[in-house]
Amino acid sequence: VGCDRSKSLVDICGEKNYQAFVCDALSVPMRSGSCDACISIAVIHHFSTAERRLAAICELARLLRPGGTALIYVWAMEQEYKNQKSKYLKEKNSKKDEEEEINSDVAQRPHSGQVPESSSQGSACSDQLLHDSEVTGCDAKPAVDSRLPVHTNRTSFPSQDLLVPWHLKGGPKKKRESVAMLPFPAGFKEFQELSPVFHRYYHVFCEGELEAVCRSLDCVRIQRSYYDQGNWCVVLEKL
């Protein structure tokens, strides 16, 4: 059974005869302890506060039966790890990416990966939770103002909290129809020939951060944690 905030995506699941419904990941309308396993792929990094990210993991734990497991994937700050660039960075100069930007949260389909070791890459951690957890490898830097940087696709992340452009895909006709529905200001008609760009909020996780959040819960234990093609991943077990 799947769930998503997007009714359009849930409708696509229905057309393919999959079971899915619209809901909020912070409040899933399912009975506690009713799931053998839960999967959260490229979701939690869209929550804008440490409290909401923790609440999302708590909700996964609530749904699990004792002994049940959960798999969580979030985008990593470290897109270059152990001197290896992620697929997200490697594909920067491909012909396909010159024509249309990435429209996927996860750099590659999740698979059994390597257990992470210490990373030499430092990153800026903005959440108080990280200070409390004393996660190493992250130099805390106070926010200068409330403005978020806009990420340049297929490049390393300038900060943990940022906006990532989403270039709407589709044929020329579809693009024109989509843009026509957008409220462009007067004098900006020349932009209507381009495909619209939307900006999504991301909090990319630095090494150790996802584990620190999970360890703050008494009802779960970490079975495994690893780095997988630009993503930090954990497998949790409900106690």
Side-chain angles (χ1 to χ4, degrees), residues 2-239:
C3 59
D4 200 282
R5 279 300 290 263
S6 169
K7 181 180 182 301
S8 297
L9 292 178
V10 170
D11 287 343
I12 293 173
C13 291
E15 294 169 1
K16 297 179 180 293
N17 296 319
Y18 296 132
Q19 297 184 70
F21 58 91
V22 177
C23 81
D24 189 324
L26 300 183
S27 182
V28 180
M30 294 179 65
R31 178 167 48 87
S32 298
S34 61
C35 299
D36 295 317
C38 294
I39 298 175
S40 176
I41 306 295
V43 174
I44 294 174
H45 56 215
H46 287 299
F47 289 111
S48 60
T49 67
E51 291 76 16
R52 288 179 177 175
R53 294 188 284 273
L54 175 61
I57 297 175
C58 286
E59 188 68 352
L60 288 174
R62 180 187 69 80
L63 296 171
L64 291 173
R65 64 166 174 77
T69 56
L71 171 66
I72 301 173
Y73 264 63
V74 294
W75 220 352
M77 178 80 176
E78 300 86 353
Q79 289 297 306
E80 187 168 344
Y81 188 68
K82 296 182 180 178
N83 296 321
Q84 293 289 326
K85 289 185 178 181
S86 68
K87 185 178 179 182
Y88 176 69
L89 293 184
K90 286 180 180 178
E91 293 184 354
K92 176 181 178 181
N93 297 320
S94 70
K95 183 176 180 181
K96 179 179 179 180
D97 292 315
E98 291 174 359
E99 297 173 352
E100 55 186 15
E101 300 285 359
I102 186 173
N103 267 358
S104 173
D105 287 343
V106 183
Q108 188 180 32
R109 288 182 182 272
H111 62 273
S112 297
Q114 312 84 331
V115 177
E117 298 175 3
S118 59
S119 171
S120 60
Q121 178 175 347
S123 57
C125 298
S126 59
D127 290 327
Q128 185 62 40
L129 179 62
L130 290 181
H131 296 283
D132 297 339
S133 304
E134 295 183 354
V135 177
T136 60
C138 298
D139 299 324
K141 297 179 182 179
V144 177
D145 55 37
S146 61
R147 291 175 294 181
L148 292 174
V150 176
H151 176 57
T152 300
N153 285 331
R154 305 294 184 179
T155 65
S156 297
F157 297 117
S159 68
Q160 279 194 279
D161 296 280
L162 70 170
L163 300 175
V164 177
W166 174 289
H167 295 249
L168 189 65
K169 291 183 178 180
K173 181 178 179 181
K174 183 176 180 180
K175 288 181 181 179
R176 287 196 297 270
E177 290 175 350
S178 300
V179 176
M181 294 186 294
L182 297 177
F184 280 92
F188 282 77
K189 292 183 179 180
E190 62 272 19
F191 289 102
Q192 294 186 16
E193 296 302 319
L194 302 175
S195 60
V197 178
F198 301 94
H199 292 89
R200 299 173 298 170
Y201 169 84
Y202 278 80
H203 172 84
V204 291
F205 283 64
C206 64
E207 182 175 12
E209 181 177 357
L210 180 59
E211 291 96 323
V213 179
C214 294
R215 288 195 183 99
S216 68
L217 302 179
D218 295 330
C219 60
V220 298
R221 73 176 183 89
I222 298 176
Q223 280 189 343
R224 185 168 172 244
S225 62
Y226 56 96
Y227 178 89
D228 182 12
Q229 284 293 341
N231 303 283
W232 289 115
C233 324
V234 297
V235 178
L236 300 177
E237 180 184 358
K238 178 71 171 290
L239 300 176

